[in-house]
Amino acid sequence: MLRRYPDVGEPLACEPITKGLLNHGYRVSTTSGSYFLKHHLDKKHLDDTSGERAAIVRQHRATQRLQSLGVPVVPPLTDTRGDTVTVIGERCYALHPWVDGLHRVGAQLTPAQSRRLGTLLGTVHTGLEQVMTPRDGPRPANPPARPGHRSPDAADTFALIDDLLAAARGQGGQGGRGGRNAPRDAFDELAVHRLVERRALLEQHAHRRPPTPDGPATGWVHGDFHPLNLLYRGADPVAIVDWDRLDVQPRAEEAVRAAAIFFVRPDGELDLAKVRAYARAYQRAAGAGAAELAAAVHRVWWERLNDFWILRWRYRLDDRRADPQFPAVSALAVWWTREYAAVCAAFTE
């Protein structure tokens, strides 16, 4: 790999990065410094290596252009062939400069830093609108709603809840518990409690399913804007990383999803004071209106009410890496339902 980048020097060490769920990353030390080597594993919507490579190149072009606008990103290095993606076998790699920084959650941000976070995401959205070209994909001028963007159907969620309940109770279900006959633990008990609770909430609120959006304000978005994909140096964000989910989507929904990750407390409540500061700054930077944010709040609330991705990972894939997130994430859906009006007001007023 490094022979394609003669300017980076000779390799001295290669250490895996433990954070992150979708890709493999390594800190590579050489005689000239440190670099981040990314092995792209997330092949969502991709059927072959050529398609994967084209999607990664698109991400790289976007970060190169955003950097020219002053957005804090870390574009990959270019090899001797002028390429930013290296394919070895059927695996795709990219080499980036190493950036020293820390991840910071909302509890570590002041109100002023929360405003800066909202401004940053708004700047990303307006910047992408400037730099993405027709060859990068459909223009963001209200394209038809994509089939995959329909709101979840509660009937499908009820079936999923039944399956996950069976698995959590050790009664099998689709995929069971990773094929193991492990005894039930505290996580399984919490999962059963939250699944039963969520089913009751869905029965109560099924009539509130959002309609398929009709021409929402869509545009290119990062697609996965959360604390593990933002590096800080002191009080300043210095790098937005992991652009694998770059896509055309309703912009305000990304803003709401990001806030629900950054500003969730361990007990599942949102820090609404910081959400309000963040949302106001985002609206100004992105030119988003209150109605756009209100619709996004409703859609993301419904999405969270129907979402059980952590339990899918645990019980269908026997993958427990996301288990520590479950207590706060599952509590948030319940609290958000109870405090719906206050949450909406924090994003829109």
Side-chain angles (χ1 to χ4, degrees), residues 310-327:
I310 297 173
L311 298 186
R312 286 175 184 262
W313 278 31
R314 178 182 174 93
Y315 295 120
R316 291 188 171 180
L317 303 177
D318 197 25
D319 187 335
R320 304 190 176 199
R321 289 177 296 166
D323 282 7
Q325 301 180 40
F326 182 71

Side-chain angles (χ1 to χ4, degrees), residues 20-92:
L21 297 177
L22 298 178
N23 296 288
H24 287 169
Y26 306 87
R27 180 171 184 167
V28 177
S29 300
T30 76
T31 51
S32 69
S34 294
Y35 301 88
F36 175 67
L37 175 62
K38 182 170 182 175
H39 174 196
H40 288 266
L41 291 174
D42 184 18
K43 297 184 178 181
K44 185 179 180 182
H45 306 313
L46 299 173
D47 298 321
D48 53 46
T49 303
S50 61
E52 181 183 8
R53 184 183 185 281
I56 297 169
V57 168
R58 181 176 66 185
Q59 299 158 20
H60 291 172
R61 285 200 303 262
T63 57
Q64 290 166 342
R65 297 166 186 164
L66 286 174
Q67 187 180 54
S68 70
L69 298 179
V71 179
V73 292
V74 191
L77 301 178
T78 302
D79 66 15
T80 54
R81 303 176 185 178
D83 296 328
T84 57
V85 180
T86 297
V87 180
I88 300 176
E90 294 185 351
R91 298 178 177 181
C92 293

